[in-house]
Amino acid sequence: MIVGTPLPHESAALHVTGAALFTDDLVGRTRDVLHAHPVQAPHAHARIVRLDPAPAYDVPGVVRVLTGDDVPGVNDAGVRHDEPLFPTEVMFHGHAVCWVLAESLEAARLGAAAVEVDYEPLPSIVDLRDAIAAESYQGNRLLLESGDVEAGLDAAVHVFEGETEMAGQEHFYLETQASLAHVDESGQIFVQCSTQHPTETQEIVAHVLGLHSHDVTVQCLRMGGGFGGKEMQPHGYAAIAALGATLTGRPVRVRLTRAQDVTMTGKRHGFHATWRVGFDADGRLVALDTALTSDGGWSLDLSEPVLSRALCHVDNAYWIPNVRAVGRVARTNKTSQTAFRGFGGPQGMLVVEDVLGRCAPLLGIAADELRRRNFYADGQATPYGQPVRHPERIERAWQQVTESGELARRTAEVAAFNEASPHRKRGLAITPVKFGISFNFTSFNQAGALVLVYKDGSVLINHGGTEMGQGLHTKMLQVAASTLGVPLAKVRLAPTRTDKVPNTSATAASSGTDLNGAAVKDACEQILERLAGVPGDTWEARVHRAYLDRIQLFAAGYYKTDGLHWDPGAMRGNPFKYFAYGVAASEVEVDGFTGSYVVRRVDVVQDVGDSLSPLVDLGQVEGGFVQGVGWLTLEDLRWDGRDGRLATQSASTYKLPSLSEMPEVFNVALLEDATETGAVYGSKAVGEPPLMLAFSVREALRQAAAAFGPPGTSVELASPATPEAVFWAVERARERSLSWTG
């Protein structure tokens, strides 16, 4: 079986040699390309009172200025019809009001600078707290409720309340948003696009141009990262390229610079949460009452499903018999925030982890013990009514990390170190993850594939998923080769195209392998069924004999996830195929003078079922964990409250995790004996769940900061827990020491 073999990424050699082609690399292979550059507004909120493109045409090389008057179809780039492609009202600083096409990127830039635009500034809201105070909301109010929260809180022995805030996160994929469009002799629009959702890109391009979907083909060769930032965000840029190509008859390239990408595209939603929580005398959760507000930015984008998933993950791995969770999306004059690895799940889970981390000292219970005694048990269900299958895997992973990470010994060592060191303290924390796998929107849980077997026995597979570096294509090759029983070298994979597999779902929600792998497997099994009984000593001989016997050697595979149902109004149902589990323990050391820290050691056990590709899965766990550490401790988006300008526009002002932030010791293991029945070859998703393992770093920082205070010190820690935030947490702990009498 090729499935389960630790193979390198299918494009690894191409990546490291620079031979791998990405969307913008195709520009050099295309003749007469025009380059697009946006005219960006300098206001967070303003009305456009005059737009004069005429001066741009005086710039040598400028060919066309695209404005709203040029749109033959619908002037909108969003699926909710609330994102004008060419706005008359600017909604965030950097909003593109028109686009200049020119013979070179420099000419386009100069042409954009020459366009004259007059604005009437309007009142704006940039800060999430200001939006809450002003009741500036968009979309529906969501309510998830189970049990009797008020009765639970009344009966609780201990009741605490507080607020939790968390910042957003910039995707900062290596490849910025890029599209290349051209029109053939029949008027067919062909768009090469760095997109996680080719079908939706196709649909947006079609409705902007006033065409049918069959008039537009979108291809995604590969992406240099996506992380959710290319699920919805590419559509408008692809539409600009396609509109330009339609009007000029020449290929048009849209490729954002890094500064443009950061200032124009959506990010992970920042959240604000208020909460009341009740515990019984043994420290078991009895009730949680929480209100979550996300910073949606200027339009809805995916904010409602992100919020829905946040509410569905506010329990994380803990059984809470009485829950009330209210959710709202705030409207602010910022970029329209969007999908990001975890899709709201991390924000919801951070609330309960923050609650437990802050309440453990107040209860006089060690944080790891408080977490462990609240784990889900067999027979218990989530607040939205879905039974939790295999909850014992949480305990198994926890025990494995505890033993392999030698937590008992190291906890004693940390205590001894802290006792002897007045200016540096260590923290050691362990946290679990329970993450639901499937799209919130049930209809998205389907996939197709097209498998072609040629007369010589070689195989070409097409599927609806996109490759953004996560190894999806590698796994699809392994699934096809294993199902057909042929060597891996016999199988090749074609780029993702909407004219090969239609109506695809986004490659998102960690569902790419589950959905597309099952569709590929279905197509291969159809072919094998037709080959049953066909004589031949080898695969090649059987295939050739089948061709001569006029047996069909290609098949369209299809898969839909069974057992899912969801009532979005009642927030009840079974929205997830299964839960992915994981546990991480992290040890940190904090400098009390500066708040700077190092991650000394991390131990992880992740449940991926029966791994399809162990080397790929280990890489995903490591990468997801480090990206989570970035969100929770480093990456600090800052907007200027006066004009709404994003101040952190580059890697010089926005701190990204790098090799220097990698743990000094990083041990990752995959949970054994964890077959997931009903999933392709018993595997489980791995893309998003590992990101939440980084909670252990944040909780270790909390413990290290608390160690500067007296026993029982409860520390509030900002998110991201930057060195500055950690320093102020240390200072608050020290203040407790000054007032402590022992």
Side-chain angles (χ1 to χ4, degrees):
M1 285 282 286
I2 296 170
V3 158
T5 304
L7 300 175
H9 190 284
E10 48 88 24
S11 292
L14 299 178
H15 288 157
V16 299
T17 60
L21 292 177
F22 296 86
T23 296
D24 203 51
D25 294 321
L26 304 174
V27 173
R29 300 173 172 225
T30 308
R31 294 182 56 190
D32 300 326
V33 173
L34 293 176
H35 305 262
H37 196 283
V39 175
Q40 294 183 262
H43 303 282
H45 191 198
R47 186 174 293 108
I48 300 172
V49 295
R50 186 178 71 92
L51 192 157
D52 184 7
Y57 289 99
D58 295 332
V59 176
V62 169
V63 173
R64 184 81 184 236
V65 179
L66 302 179
T67 70
D69 293 336
D70 296 314
V71 176
V74 180
N75 179 29
D76 199 278
V79 296
R80 302 294 295 267
H81 297 287
D82 62 347
E83 299 181 36
L85 189 60
F86 297 95
T88 56
E89 183 179 343
V90 170
M91 297 301 291
F92 65 95
H93 193 289
H95 204 163
V97 299
C98 65
W99 291 76
V100 176
L101 309 182
E103 301 286 352
S104 69
L105 190 57
E106 178 64 7
R109 184 187 69 82
L110 294 173
V115 173
E116 296 179 359
V117 189
D118 292 336
Y119 302 94
E120 177 191 339
L122 299 171
S124 63
I125 297 176
V126 176
D127 184 75
L128 176 56
R129 282 179 176 266
D130 291 342
I132 295 171
E135 298 187 353
S136 175
Y137 298 118
Q138 56 185 325
N140 296 313
R141 176 182 181 271
L142 303 182
L143 173 63
L144 172 61
E145 199 165 19
S146 65
D148 188 330
V149 169
E150 295 303 332
L153 289 172
D154 289 343
V157 177
H158 306 281
V159 176
F160 307 100
E161 61 181 278
E163 296 184 14
T164 300
E165 280 192 285
M166 61 208 78
Q169 186 179 20
E170 167 60 38
H171 299 89
F172 225 101
Y173 25 64
L174 290 177
E175 175 202 27
T176 60
Q177 300 283 349
S179 291
L180 176 64
H182 76 262
V183 184
D184 67 16
E185 76 285 350
S186 66
Q188 173 80 11
I189 312 295
F190 182 64
V191 184
Q192 300 269 9
C193 184
S194 184
T195 176
Q196 293 175 235
H197 202 343
T199 288
E200 204 163 78
T201 301
Q202 173 193 33
E203 291 169 350
I204 295 297
V205 169
H207 87 225
V208 167
L209 297 181
L211 301 173
H212 297 292
S213 288
H214 71 207
D215 296 315
V216 179
T217 298
V218 173
Q219 173 172 297
C220 179
L221 186 59
R222 59 168 59 84
M223 283 170 278
F227 311 118
K230 294 177 180 175
E231 182 173 349
M232 293 281 286
Q233 302 289 296
H235 308 336
Y237 307 116
I240 292 294
L243 176 62
T246 301
L247 295 175
T248 65
R250 294 173 59 177
V252 171
R253 165 224 202 188
V254 174
R255 196 267 297 163
L256 301 187
T257 65
R258 178 62 63 187
Q260 289 167 348
D261 198 288
V262 173
T263 56
M264 295 171 68
T265 66
K267 292 115 186 36
R268 183 188 295 280
H269 294 72
F271 269 66
H272 174 273
T274 59
W275 47 265
R276 291 186 300 154
V277 64
F279 296 88
D280 67 14
D282 295 323
R284 288 186 170 81
L285 288 158
V286 294
L288 175 65
D289 186 10
T290 184
L292 278 63
T293 306
S294 70
D295 187 344
W298 74 278
S299 67
L300 270 174
D301 194 276
L302 289 165
S303 293
E304 285 182 312
V306 165
L307 180 62
S308 177
R309 185 172 281 261
L311 296 178
C312 288
H313 283 78
V314 79
D315 58 328
N316 192 11
Y318 314 110
W319 184 61
I320 313 172
N322 304 290
V323 173
R324 179 168 58 220
V326 177
R328 293 303 305 264
V329 178
R331 187 193 303 275
T332 58
N333 293 108
K334 294 178 181 174
T335 53
S336 184
Q337 317 311 12
T338 190
F340 200 127
R341 199 174 194 167
F343 202 79
Q347 293 96 314
M349 293 158 71
L350 181 58
V351 173
V352 73
E353 292 300 337
D354 195 51
V355 166
L356 295 178
R358 285 162 64 173
C359 293
L362 303 176
L363 292 167
I365 302 174
D368 59 340
E369 174 58 21
L370 181 63
R371 289 184 165 92
R372 189 198 62 75
R373 68 176 61 174
N374 279 289
F375 286 165
Y376 273 103
D378 195 42
Q380 292 174 338
T382 65
Y384 45 90
Q386 177 162 352
V388 177
R389 292 177 60 237
H390 304 310
E392 71 282 355
R393 293 187 185 181
I394 308 172
E395 185 68 52
R396 278 210 293 134
W398 185 274
Q399 191 63 30
Q400 185 174 331
V401 169
T402 300
E403 293 175 359
S404 64
E406 302 177 284
L407 295 197
R409 173 184 63 80
R410 289 168 55 213
T411 298
E413 289 178 354
V414 165
F417 176 88
N418 290 346
E419 181 69 25
S421 174
H423 303 305
R424 299 185 72 86
K425 303 289 185 182
R426 291 177 182 171
L428 174 58
I430 179 171
T431 58
V433 167
K434 174 185 70 68
F435 189 79
I437 302 298
S438 290
F439 284 98
N440 302 50
F441 185 52
T442 303
S443 297
F444 283 171
N445 295 287
Q446 60 176 304
L450 177 63
V451 175
L452 315 175
V453 177
Y454 295 96
K455 286 187 288 183
D456 64 354
S458 61
V459 181
L460 179 67
I461 61 175
N462 303 264
H463 65 89
T466 56
E467 176 63 50
M468 61 194 93
Q470 84 279 35
L472 175 62
H473 284 355
T474 307
K475 291 183 175 181
M476 296 304 96
L477 291 169
Q478 290 179 271
V479 167
S482 295
T483 306
L484 294 173
V486 301
L488 196 64
K490 283 284 184 184
V491 186
R492 189 174 74 82
L493 194 141
T496 309
R497 286 174 61 120
T498 57
D499 61 353
K500 296 296 185 291
V501 179
N503 309 322
T504 58
S505 298
T507 305
S510 301
S511 64
T513 295
D514 287 0
L515 297 178
N516 295 287
V520 168
K521 188 169 183 286
D522 175 56
C524 292
E525 288 172 344
Q526 291 180 48
I527 293 169
L528 287 179
E529 187 176 349
R530 295 176 197 143
L531 290 176
V534 175
D537 296 333
T538 66
W539 165 258
E540 292 81 3
R542 290 177 66 206
V543 167
H544 187 67
R545 182 70 259 170
Y547 167 75
L548 294 176
D549 290 345
R550 296 185 296 176
I551 293 174
Q552 183 178 332
L553 290 171
F554 57 92
Y558 180 75
Y559 173 77
K560 66 176 181 179
T561 310
D562 291 327
L564 303 181
H565 58 90
W566 180 243
D567 182 339
M571 293 286 286
R572 302 286 294 177
N574 276 43
F576 305 120
K577 173 71 173 176
Y578 56 80
F579 296 102
Y581 303 111
V583 172
S586 296
E587 182 179 340
V588 303
E589 184 174 313
V590 170
D591 183 328
F593 293 114
T594 65
S596 62
Y597 66 90
V598 293
V599 181
R600 290 169 46 80
R601 176 172 171 175
V602 172
D603 294 87
V604 167
V605 172
Q606 181 65 40
D607 170 21
V608 299
D610 294 335
S611 176
L612 294 177
S613 196
L615 197 60
V616 167
D617 286 347
L618 287 172
Q620 283 294 290
V621 174
E622 292 168 351
F625 179 89
V626 172
Q627 192 170 51
V629 171
W631 170 51
L632 292 168
T633 69
L634 295 173
E635 301 179 43
D636 195 7
L637 290 165
R638 295 290 182 95
W639 274 269
D640 189 320
R642 294 166 299 178
D643 61 7
R645 179 182 61 88
L646 180 63
T648 49
Q649 296 185 11
S650 67
S652 65
T653 52
Y654 184 75
K655 177 64 174 172
L656 293 160
S658 62
L659 285 175
S660 60
E661 280 73 46
M662 286 287 287
E664 296 174 358
V665 178
F666 197 2
N667 301 314
V668 178
L670 304 180
L671 188 67
E672 296 182 354
D673 301 320
T675 301
E676 184 60 36
T677 55
V680 59
Y681 285 110
S683 67
K684 268 188 175 182
V686 72
E688 292 169 304
L691 185 133
M692 282 72 80
L693 296 169
F695 290 147
S696 58
V697 173
R698 184 173 186 270
E699 291 305 305
L701 288 172
R702 186 200 304 278
Q703 293 185 17
F708 286 91
T713 296
S714 176
V715 169
E716 294 184 27
L717 191 59
S719 184
T722 61
E724 179 184 12
V726 172
F727 173 78
W728 290 116
V730 168
E731 285 293 282
R732 288 190 292 271
R734 284 179 173 142
E735 290 172 3
R736 288 283 308 277
S737 290
L738 294 175
S739 61
W740 185 57
T741 60

